[in-house]
């Protein structure tokens, strides 16, 4: 019929017949009857006529069409046209770019590649251990958490991006207007509660405070806090975050006889009996200066302001150990 599949089919069948004829012709040692001898003499003529019929063009039957499709598939699998790009081997993938520096490459060559979790221990990152990094200062707000009260949602939660308290439920543990303006009342409420946030309100309505990543214990020590920061809300609704500078040392001065001290002079609210509502601020040595370069986060650049309220918020750790 002219197609490669039809020709292949008939050629294979012809081979089977010829092989069978040869086998019959070579079996001369078997005695044949007179009728069988006549059939063997007529076999060459039968093979020739059969071959002519098989190789001659013919209208394909349904069975032939099905077989043609089978042989087409087989030929497509084992015979690939040089011009058929869809069935040629795809080009090899480009090698991945190695962005490691020289030190990392040398380490990997001598000691093996760095594992994501060596011995089952995950590596520290800003997502898993945010308080091991300096505070982020992008100005982006942290989203609220279910259960936040009005003050927490408006003034505290937005500044907690990239902290241990960012997604943790929190509650107010100290309120000066309810618990008193004394160092003892302050430490009775906040000691051993873990990381906390101080929120102060001045007489002119400004909101400011600080984040203490290590919390308070009231043992008279200077507590380190690399991720500590101060913050001050502006009249335009934004806020400034002022991270710890000069290393982690003296993030807070934790003395039982005073209120919150962020560094010896960053933001100090001593709660002294003579002037318990006074707050002082001096930026630069321990906490970063304002974006304008000023050394006070109080409005107008004042070094001291009077307070109307002092609050502290801490995390609700549930049954987990408090860090």
């Amino acid at each position: 019929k002219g197609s490669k599949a039809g020709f292949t089919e008939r050629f294979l069948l012809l081979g089977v017949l010829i092989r069978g004829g040869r086998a019959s012709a070579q079996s001369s040692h078997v005695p044949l009857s007179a009728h069988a001898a006549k059939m063997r003499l007529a076999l060459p003529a039968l093979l020739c006529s059969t071959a002519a019929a098989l190789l001659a063009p013919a209208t394909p039957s349904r069975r032939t069409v099905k077989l043609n499709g089978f042989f087409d598939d087989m030929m497509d699998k084992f015979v690939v046209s040089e011009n058929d790009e869809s069935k040629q081997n795809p080009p090899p993938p480009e090698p991945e770019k190695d962005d490691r520096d020289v030190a990392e490459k040398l380490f990997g060559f001598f000691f093996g590649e760095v594992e994501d979790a060596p011995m089952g221990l995950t590596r520290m990152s800003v997502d898993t251990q945010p308080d091991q990094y300096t505070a982020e200062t992008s100005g982006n707000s942290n989203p609220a958490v279910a259960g936040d009260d009005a003050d927490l949602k408006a003034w505290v939660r937005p500044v907690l991006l990239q902290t241990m308290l960012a997604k943790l439920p929190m509650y107010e543990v100290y309120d000066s207007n309810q618990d008193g303006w004394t160092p003892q009342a302050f430490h009775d409420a906040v000691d051993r509660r873990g990381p906390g946030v101080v929120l102060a309100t001045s007489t002119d309505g400004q909101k400011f405070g600080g984040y203490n990543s290590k919390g308070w214990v009231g043992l008279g020590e200077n507590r380190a806090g690399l991720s500590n920061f101060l913050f001050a809300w502006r009249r335009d609704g934004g806020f400034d975050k002022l991270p710890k500078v000069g290393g982690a040392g003296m993030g807070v001065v934790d003395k039982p006889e005073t209120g919150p001290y962020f560094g010896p002079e960053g933001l100090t609210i001593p709660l002294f009996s003579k002037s318990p509502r006074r707050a002082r601020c001096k930026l630069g040595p321990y906490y970063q200066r304002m974006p304008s370069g000023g050394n006070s986060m109080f409005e107008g650049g004042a070094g001291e302001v009077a307070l109307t309220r002092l609050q502290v918020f801490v995390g609700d750790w549930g049954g987990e150990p408090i860090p």
Side-chain angles (χ1 to χ4, degrees):
K1 63 188 267 297
S3 69
K4 66 177 182 180
F7 179 81
T8 305
E9 172 193 350
R10 286 173 281 166
F11 187 79
L12 291 175
L13 183 56
L14 177 61
V16 173
L17 291 174
I18 294 174
R19 183 178 180 86
R22 288 180 178 176
S24 176
Q26 291 173 359
S27 301
S28 58
H29 60 282
V30 179
L32 298 176
S33 63
H35 181 71
K38 292 180 181 180
M39 289 297 296
R40 189 172 69 174
L41 292 175
L43 182 59
L46 177 61
L47 290 177
C48 291
S49 60
T50 304
L54 288 173
L55 297 177
T59 302
S61 63
R62 292 184 179 179
R63 181 170 180 272
T64 304
V65 171
K66 292 183 179 179
L67 289 175
N68 287 347
F70 169 77
F71 281 108
D72 286 340
D73 292 340
M74 295 299 293
M75 293 296 290
D76 288 341
K77 290 181 179 180
F78 295 102
V79 180
V80 180
S81 173
E82 294 181 356
N83 298 325
D84 191 354
E85 297 180 357
S86 65
K87 296 181 180 179
Q88 293 177 356
N89 291 331
E94 296 183 1
E96 296 183 2
K97 185 178 180 181
D98 192 348
D99 296 327
R100 297 177 301 169
D101 56 29
V102 177
E104 291 177 325
K105 292 179 181 179
L106 288 175
F107 183 90
F109 178 79
F110 289 105
F111 302 103
E113 299 300 330
V114 177
E115 300 178 12
D116 293 333
M119 301 178 65
L121 302 175
T122 57
R123 296 184 177 277
M124 183 179 68
S125 68
V126 69
D127 296 323
T128 59
Q129 298 290 332
D131 284 334
Q132 299 300 320
Y133 298 82
T134 56
E136 69 85 36
T137 56
S138 65
N140 296 328
S141 295
N142 188 66
V145 174
D148 288 352
D149 64 24
D151 288 333
L152 183 59
K153 182 177 181 179
W155 310 112
V156 176
R157 186 68 71 177
V159 305
L160 293 180
L161 194 64
Q162 192 184 300
T163 66
M164 296 178 67
L165 300 177
K167 301 179 181 179
L168 194 71
M170 298 177 64
Y171 63 98
E172 183 186 74
V173 71
Y174 170 77
D175 185 342
S176 60
N177 293 341
Q178 297 180 12
D179 301 316
W181 291 83
T182 66
Q184 181 176 351
F186 173 80
H187 282 282
D188 286 347
V190 304
D191 284 355
R192 295 177 176 82
R193 297 295 183 93
V197 181
V198 171
L199 176 65
T201 306
S202 64
T203 53
D204 59 4
Q206 184 187 15
K207 300 282 188 179
F208 57 87
Y211 169 69
N212 177 6
S213 62
K214 302 300 182 183
W216 296 268
V217 292
L219 297 178
E221 60 183 350
N222 299 323
R223 311 204 77 186
L226 181 63
S227 62
N228 287 11
F229 61 84
L230 304 178
F231 64 90
W233 284 88
R234 303 188 303 266
R235 295 294 181 179
D236 62 4
F239 56 86
D240 294 310
K241 286 176 69 173
L242 311 172
K244 181 73 174 66
V245 295
M250 300 189 76
V252 294
V253 178
D254 186 16
K255 294 183 178 180
E257 64 270 18
T258 66
Y261 269 62
F262 287 85
E265 53 187 10
L267 171 63
T268 59
I269 307 175
L271 297 177
F272 291 153
S273 58
K274 292 183 179 181
S275 54
R277 297 172 182 258
R278 290 291 175 180
R280 300 180 177 86
C281 179
K282 183 179 179 181
L283 304 173
Y286 297 95
Y287 287 87
Q288 183 175 291
R289 290 174 175 264
M290 293 290 288
S292 62
N295 66 348
S296 174
M297 63 180 178
F298 300 153
E299 288 185 341
E304 181 178 304
V305 295
L307 304 179
T308 60
R309 193 179 186 186
L310 179 64
Q311 300 164 270
V312 178
F313 298 85
V314 297
D316 183 0
W317 297 91
E320 298 182 15
I322 298 177

